Amino acid sequence: MHPGSILAPEPEVAEADHICDSHKTTCCVVGGGPGGMMLALLLARQGVPVTLLEQHKDFDRDFRGDTIHPSIMEVLDQIGLAEPLHRLGHAKIYGPTVQIANTTFNPIDLRRLKTRFPYIFLVPQARFLEFLADEASKYPDFRLLMGANVEQLIEENGQTSGVRYLGPDGMHEVRAPLVVGADGRFSRVRHLAGFEPIKTSAPMDILWFRLPHIPGDLPEGEGRVLGGFAAGRMLAVFDRFDYWQVGYVFPKGQYQNLRAAGLEALRQSIVEVEPAFAEQVTTLTDWHQFSLLSVESSRCPRWFKPGLLLIGDAAHVMSPVGGVGINYAVQDAVVAANILAAPLRDGRVQPRHLAKVQQEREWPTKLIQAAQSAVQSRILTSVLSSQTAPRIPWFVRAFFATPFLRDIPARILAFGVRRVRVNKEGVQGFA
Ligand SMILES: Cc1cc2nc3c(=O)[nH]c(=O)nc-3n(C[C@H](O)[C@H](O)[C@H](O)COP(=O)(O)OP(=O)(O)OC[C@H]3O[C@@H](n4cnc5c(N)ncnc54)[C@H](O)[C@@H]3O)c2cc1C
């Protein structure tokens, strides 16, 4: 359990419909992922009473990406947290290495960008969330409730005015003029609010698994994301210090075929893409070691209604292309805090403020999703349908060799389509 968290005692008898207590705050954030945690921190810094409800008892979770992009680091730097974050165990990536048929290609070099942090900072997501929670806990207006599973919205006079959550000792209520659903891709808040995301399915699915580090297997050190391709399969490999986190990318809908072909066939296929894993794959002996990610991209047409706002994956699930999900969730949080802190503090938050958050964040989301979709349909589809190791087309190499073009993908990877900054009040905090 996180030291700053409050966890109710173990239940003697949990009565589902009996409300144990009701607590009032100004902003109730549901979900302690990167988006919810950053929003809660920025609001608390500005003197807005905020309660964050997280259903899990700690921040340890299945692999969900460890990437802190330059834009997040710049935001943390604005509020004095970039340097302390660097004290946590981390690795840095200056650009992914793409490996095809024994040739390597480094399309993106973040070092060419104008930023103090020209790298993707890799830190286990649980440590990053604990770090933000520790920081937020320094502010008296922040309250974190772990093991709090939101089950209902409180609706009064046509507006959301709080939530009911199930804690270890039963049902509780939090009342607030604003509820923010930052509860991820399967958002309960979104469902309860009656919002339906429009989904686009990507042409691939991913099996995630771990492989042990064996000295000398792949270059270690700075940390790297490695994409390898062979015969209709791809691997994305992340160095997680004591093991490799591997994503095996394959055409959508073929999971049952993979299962039917058996583990030996899968092990062989992995080694075909990355021969250096020949020894490690012998540790893959059970399908339980794999988790399947059905890749999709989605976006809610509407992110708000009176008293309620969605941010992060709850509002838009990003495709894994470029690994921008964490970045976008944090950017949503920064924009939401910039727009909402003052009206929340003054008790005058209106739907027009919530609409402004959607307005500022929707178009960057649409643009990046369109770019991801283009990469998926043009490049990944042809790679995944190829039976031989693909070659990098000349025009792709030419693009990345042209000085004024080559940094565009790097800038988008680093900052999204729009650089987001904490506003002056947010930087100063609330005295
Ligand atoms: C396998 C995988 C790999 C990924 N890799 C990357 C990557 O490399 N880079 C990248 O940028 N993105 C990656 N992503 C995407 C990234 O994880 C998300 O885009 C990002 O975490 C979204 O942040 P969020 O705060 O909106 O939601 P989340 O991180 O999903 O957080 C939501 C939180 O809400 C909590 N919650 C849910 N329901 C309730 C409830 N009813 N009550 C209370 N709490 C609730 C959850 O427990 C969770 O802590 C990956 C995703 C997956 C699945």
Side-chain angles (χ1 to χ4, degrees):
M1 190 178 83
H2 177 263
S5 64
I6 302 168
L7 188 65
E10 287 301 316
E12 286 178 10
V13 184
E15 291 175 44
D17 290 318
H18 171 73
I19 306 298
C20 302
D21 60 23
S22 182
H23 145 90
K24 275 193 185 158
T25 187
T26 300
C27 181
C28 173
V29 179
V30 182
M37 198 55 85
M38 182 61 90
L39 175 63
L41 168 62
L42 290 173
L43 291 178
R45 274 177 59 83
Q46 293 181 71
V48 177
V50 50
T51 295
L52 193 152
L53 305 173
E54 165 55 47
Q55 69 180 359
H56 288 111
K57 291 183 181 172
D58 58 38
F59 293 113
D60 278 312
R61 50 193 72 202
D62 283 346
F63 175 72
R64 306 250 295 283
D66 295 336
T67 48
I68 309 291
H69 288 232
S71 65
I72 302 179
M73 205 52 97
E74 285 190 351
V75 161
L76 292 170
D77 195 36
Q78 282 189 282
I79 56 173
L81 297 183
E83 198 252 305
L85 184 67
H86 278 74
R87 286 188 219 129
L88 302 185
H90 66 272
K92 290 174 185 161
I93 300 174
Y94 298 96
T97 301
V98 177
Q99 188 172 306
I100 303 182
N102 298 331
T103 64
T104 56
F105 175 49
N106 295 90
I108 287 174
D109 186 352
L110 296 169
R111 280 171 288 211
R112 285 198 296 260
L113 299 182
K114 284 195 187 118
T115 170
R116 278 189 64 203
F117 310 102
Y119 43 81
I120 292 173
F121 182 90
L122 283 187
V123 62
Q125 198 179 110
R127 302 293 85 75
F128 177 56
L129 295 174
E130 284 164 4
F131 172 84
L132 294 181
D134 279 342
E135 270 310 309
S137 302
K138 294 178 184 163
Y139 296 91
D141 292 310
F142 175 74
R143 189 166 186 240
L144 171 64
L145 296 169
M146 301 296 286
N149 188 5
V150 169
E151 298 203 332
Q152 296 167 16
L153 292 179
I154 304 171
E155 306 274 355
E156 286 161 339
N157 308 320
Q159 118 144 37
T160 305
S161 55
V163 300
R164 297 203 176 93
Y165 69 89
L166 188 62
D169 58 346
M171 284 292 249
H172 303 254
E173 243 179 37
V174 178
R175 290 185 170 260
L178 180 65
V179 170
V180 178
D183 51 341
R185 61 175 54 206
F186 304 110
S187 173
R188 175 97 176 152
V189 172
R190 180 181 67 211
H191 173 74
L192 292 169
F195 294 142
E196 194 56 48
I198 299 164
K199 293 185 186 172
T200 330
S201 84
M204 75 271 199
D205 287 328
I206 305 180
L207 270 184
W208 287 102
F209 54 93
R210 296 174 178 194
L211 290 176
H213 256 302
I214 294 183
D217 51 5
L218 285 175
E220 292 174 42
E222 289 182 325
R224 53 201 258 130
V225 179
L226 180 97
F229 303 79
R233 299 287 184 266
M234 283 174 52
L235 288 185
V237 182
F238 296 82
D239 190 346
R240 291 199 100 200
F241 317 119
D242 43 355
Y243 61 90
W244 298 106
Q245 181 74 43
V246 186
Y248 178 86
V249 186
F250 60 98
K252 195 169 230 9
Q254 285 196 12
Y255 178 62
Q256 289 311 330
N257 297 353
L258 278 183
R259 291 288 299 243
L263 269 176
E264 179 50 28
L266 179 58
R267 284 193 292 262
Q268 274 178 20
S269 170
I270 295 165
V271 176
E272 258 174 49
V273 184
E274 183 45 80
F277 284 152
E279 195 178 335
Q280 290 89 327
V281 292
T282 56
T283 60
L284 297 172
T285 53
D286 193 306
W287 286 101
H288 288 115
Q289 290 169 267
F290 298 87
S291 59
L292 174 68
L293 173 68
S294 174
V295 177
E296 65 168 50
S297 163
S298 72
R299 198 173 58 245
C300 273
R302 199 173 160 90
W303 300 12
F304 69 95
K305 62 188 213 176
L308 184 141
L309 174 70
L310 301 178
I311 63 165
D313 273 18
H316 49 70
V317 175
M318 314 304 278
S319 140
V321 173
V324 296
I326 297 171
N327 202 4
Y328 264 56
V330 169
Q331 291 192 337
D332 286 358
V334 173
V335 168
N338 285 348
I339 294 171
L340 299 175
L344 277 170
R345 218 175 32 231
D346 303 344
R348 53 176 179 84
V349 72
Q350 298 290 327
R352 68 185 159 86
H353 298 114
L354 309 179
K356 192 151 188 278
V357 177
Q358 174 170 355
Q359 194 190 346
E360 282 204 18
R361 292 302 300 152
E362 189 175 26
W363 67 264
T365 306
K366 278 185 176 168
L367 276 181
I368 206 87
Q369 287 183 331
Q372 289 177 318
S373 167
V375 171
Q376 282 165 189
S377 59
R378 307 250 157 76
I379 302 175
L380 293 184
T381 307
S382 76
V383 168
L384 294 176
S385 59
S386 140
Q387 286 312 305
T388 54
R391 304 178 76 83
I392 298 162
W394 67 266
F395 58 85
V396 173
R397 285 190 183 276
F399 179 93
F400 283 103
T402 310
F404 69 95
L405 292 176
R406 67 184 179 190
D407 290 338
I408 296 173
R411 268 202 300 277
I412 293 175
L413 181 71
F415 304 111
V417 292
R418 184 177 181 215
R419 221 159 170 147
V420 161
R421 314 279 293 157
V422 179
N423 65 12
K424 204 166 132 211
E425 295 73 32
V427 172
Q428 284 170 347
F430 188 68

